[in-house]
Amino acid sequence: MKCSKSAAIIFLLTACVGLSLSAQDTSLVPEPRGVLTSNSPEDKKTEESEREKEINTLNYGLDTEIIAMLDEFTANKTFYYLDELEVILERTRSVSLREKIITYFTDAEDGRLADYALEIIEDPFDTRNSTVALLFKYASKLKIEEAAPLAKKLLEEEYMEYFDGALEALSEVGTSEDAQFLAEYINREDLSTGQQQSVMKALGRLKAVETWDALVEIAQNEDKNSYVRMYAAEAIGAMGKIESVEVLAYLFESTDPNLRASVIKGVSHFPSDDTALSLIIEGIKDSHYKVRLESIAAVKEHKIKDAAPHIVFRAKNDPETAVKYACYEALGILGDKEGIAYLQELVKEKYAGDTIKVKASEALLAYGSSAATDSVIALARESLADKKKLHLRYALGKLFASMENSAFADICREYLASTDVATVGTGLDIYERNRFPSVRQEVEAIANAEKNSSNKTKAKKILDRD
């Protein structure tokens, strides 16, 4: 059967309407959306319907509707239609949509906007400052080295409205030459205290050994702002020069607790050095809680076994709750016998608060021994049997759902058997993370229940992903 020429033209025009976002009438075809959750015709139809809706939103949607769709994609850590969004970016006059697209590409760590970002950063004066700031973040996240000289030029020419973004970009992609520039730049009299602090942070990220002498001088200068000295202390430690330890040891005698805490952060880069190690352990006993917290963080990071007795003592006796909880975590990481025994005592202690029990449980699960894990599971069983312990029950279930461990299979089944809706939902979370074959039957029973419920829907989705 033959078609007339006019009919053919009408057909082609109809097929093209609404599918073009470019001057060349390029069809809007979505990027691959991954494997369908099911091969059933019904699920395929649903997936196709979702794609069509998204295409229509891009073609005809309000700015707010496109932004909402991108927010949903970002929340799910999925990034679609990047080619099409690049075209929209070139055409839109909506500032909010333009900036959302830039943020979307930044989160996706996609390089399609590199040329656009460099063009604006080189000549930002006709672009909104908020947009320029986002493009600096984009260049920093994607480590676009060509942005460094452009950022440096803006700082040199005193365009202070771009100070934060230019400095961030320079700190991420700058060279040792750029670091030396910043080491001199920090001495400008027109910089505010906050800006001086920002420059020092940038120098710390660059870790340019060439600036070590200048930063030591700043760290030792008592006339300098306290926070600037703090960041200088952290920066010289991060450079890895062993000479930093002696400088930092002297600075630890300061009466400023914030500076002492920064000293600990600096010497934590030298965990095998005896002087650095002694400073870290001394910091655990410091009168200021910030210094103690920084020292405990160093112990955790480097698993400093020699610090275990000090950590146990602070876990039992420290007046600051935050320090105690940090000690619990450290004890789980160190695996100290006395420390683990103390955590198990806390879990069993009748009069200990729920938060204390949860923090101790988290440390025991991180430690990972079967005995430690069993003590936490036993606590969860107690909470399942007591309606007054719902908060504890949910918190422990959240811990179980945050890690994979075959030992959680039985307690998962017990959560699923509860008559409390939220408890069952938590049990489904535990199953979703671990996929215990022995528990699948219970999940199927929830998914096939006659009565509709949020847990039924949740169970079906989990099984579909299987």
Side-chain angles (χ1 to χ4, degrees):
M1 179 178 173
K2 296 182 179 179
C3 296
S4 68
K5 183 176 180 181
S6 59
I9 292 173
I10 292 172
F11 173 81
L12 289 173
L13 289 173
T14 303
C16 290
V17 170
L19 293 179
S20 175
L21 276 177
S22 68
Q24 292 76 24
D25 289 332
T26 302
S27 295
L28 179 59
V29 179
E31 296 183 9
R33 296 294 306 271
V35 180
L36 294 175
T37 56
S38 170
N39 289 322
S40 69
E42 182 181 348
D43 286 338
K44 285 183 178 179
K45 185 176 180 180
T46 300
E47 183 81 6
E48 290 168 359
S49 176
E50 289 178 359
R51 292 182 182 180
E52 183 179 0
K53 181 180 178 181
E54 291 162 1
I55 291 169
N56 286 334
T57 298
L58 290 173
N59 273 323
Y60 314 116
L62 304 175
D63 293 351
T64 52
E65 291 170 337
I66 299 175
I67 289 170
M69 185 174 74
L70 297 184
D71 283 338
E72 182 181 353
F73 289 164
T74 303
N76 294 326
K77 299 189 186 308
T78 52
F79 300 96
Y80 308 131
Y81 307 110
L82 294 171
D83 285 336
E84 291 72 30
L85 287 167
E86 185 180 7
V87 174
I88 293 175
L89 177 67
E90 293 174 358
R91 295 183 172 185
T92 185
R93 295 185 180 275
S94 166
V95 175
S96 57
L97 179 56
R98 180 189 304 126
E99 294 187 349
K100 174 57 65 175
I101 292 173
I102 293 170
T103 301
Y104 188 70
F105 274 82
T106 304
D107 292 335
E109 297 186 41
D110 186 277
R112 286 174 175 82
L113 302 188
D115 290 342
Y116 170 70
L118 291 172
E119 180 182 347
I120 298 298
I121 290 172
E122 184 176 16
D123 184 12
F125 310 109
D126 294 328
T127 305
R128 284 178 179 259
N129 287 357
S130 57
T131 302
V132 177
L134 289 174
L135 290 170
F136 271 124
K137 288 183 180 296
Y138 175 82
S140 300
K141 184 79 173 285
L142 275 74
K143 309 291 185 187
I144 302 175
E145 295 178 358
E146 294 87 345
L150 305 178
K152 181 180 177 181
K153 183 178 179 181
L154 289 173
L155 293 175
E156 286 177 325
E157 297 181 357
E158 303 183 22
Y159 292 108
M160 303 309 283
E161 63 268 38
Y162 307 116
F163 176 87
D164 291 332
L167 188 61
E168 180 182 4
L170 206 59
S171 72
E172 292 295 336
V173 297
T175 63
S176 59
E177 182 180 337
D178 296 323
Q180 290 175 312
F181 161 74
L182 291 178
E184 296 174 6
Y185 188 82
I186 197 173
N187 294 316
R188 288 172 54 117
E189 294 182 357
D190 59 337
L191 290 184
S192 68
T193 299
Q195 288 172 330
Q196 289 178 7
Q197 293 171 14
S198 296
V199 173
M200 188 55 66
K201 287 181 183 179
L203 283 166
R205 288 193 290 271
L206 283 168
K207 299 180 183 180
V209 178
E210 294 85 355
T211 65
W212 188 85
D213 289 331
L215 298 195
V216 168
E217 183 178 345
I218 291 172
Q220 293 177 331
N221 187 346
E222 295 183 3
D223 292 330
K224 283 286 187 182
N225 173 265
S226 173
Y227 286 93
V228 173
R229 295 180 69 200
M230 285 166 50
Y231 298 133
E234 294 174 17
I236 63 175
M239 290 177 188
K241 281 174 67 75
I242 193 62
E243 295 88 346
S244 299
V245 175
E246 183 179 351
V247 175
L248 293 169
Y250 175 77
L251 292 175
F252 193 70
E253 297 180 10
S254 170
T255 57
D256 181 353
N258 291 315
L259 181 56
R260 295 200 304 275
S262 290
V263 166
I264 296 298
K265 187 175 287 188
V267 298
S268 68
H269 294 279
F270 308 91
S272 59
D273 181 84
D274 289 341
T275 300
L277 182 60
S278 67
L279 282 173
I280 291 170
I281 292 177
E282 187 174 350
I284 299 171
K285 300 179 287 184
D286 193 273
S287 60
H288 201 280
Y289 77 97
K290 288 184 179 180
V291 184
R292 300 199 296 278
L293 284 173
E294 200 62 61
S295 298
I296 295 165
V299 169
K300 290 188 294 185
E301 181 181 0
H302 299 292
K303 298 183 179 179
I304 302 173
K305 298 285 187 180
D306 291 346
H310 302 276
I311 298 293
V312 172
F313 185 86
R314 295 258 59 87
K316 294 178 178 180
N317 301 289
D318 202 277
E320 295 288 340
T321 301
V323 175
K324 281 189 173 184
Y325 293 162
C327 286
Y328 296 170
E329 185 179 355
L331 291 174
I333 291 171
L334 294 176
D336 175 74
K337 184 177 180 180
E338 182 183 354
I340 296 300
Y342 174 66
L343 293 174
Q344 289 177 306
E345 289 174 14
L346 287 178
V347 165
K348 296 175 183 178
E349 173 58 49
K350 182 178 180 181
Y351 299 105
D354 286 352
T355 303
I356 289 176
K357 288 178 180 288
V358 171
K359 292 292 184 180
S361 296
E362 187 174 7
L364 287 170
L365 292 177
Y367 175 55
S369 76
S370 57
T373 301
D374 288 345
S375 63
V376 179
I377 291 174
L379 178 63
R381 285 201 172 99
E382 289 179 21
S383 71
L384 285 167
D386 189 344
K387 292 182 179 180
K388 296 179 181 179
K389 295 183 177 180
L390 287 176
H391 173 75
L392 178 60
R393 182 193 305 179
Y394 301 150
L396 293 174
K398 187 175 181 180
L399 284 180
F400 297 143
S402 70
M403 57 189 74
E404 295 181 10
N405 191 329
S406 59
F408 298 159
D410 288 340
I411 194 65
C412 176
R413 185 181 291 107
E414 292 172 43
Y415 269 78
L416 293 174
S418 174
T419 57
D420 176 65
V421 173
T423 302
V424 175
T426 304
L428 290 172
D429 291 336
I430 301 170
Y431 175 82
E432 184 174 20
R433 182 60 182 263
N434 287 272
R435 309 285 175 167
F436 310 111
S438 62
V439 185
R440 182 180 173 89
Q441 185 175 350
E442 283 79 358
V443 178
E444 289 176 342
I446 295 170
N448 296 325
E450 291 185 8
K451 186 177 179 180
N452 289 328
S453 68
S454 58
N455 281 333
K456 176 177 179 176
T457 303
K458 186 175 185 177
K460 289 182 69 175
K461 286 183 178 179
I462 291 171
L463 293 174
D464 283 345
R465 294 189 192 106
D466 281 343

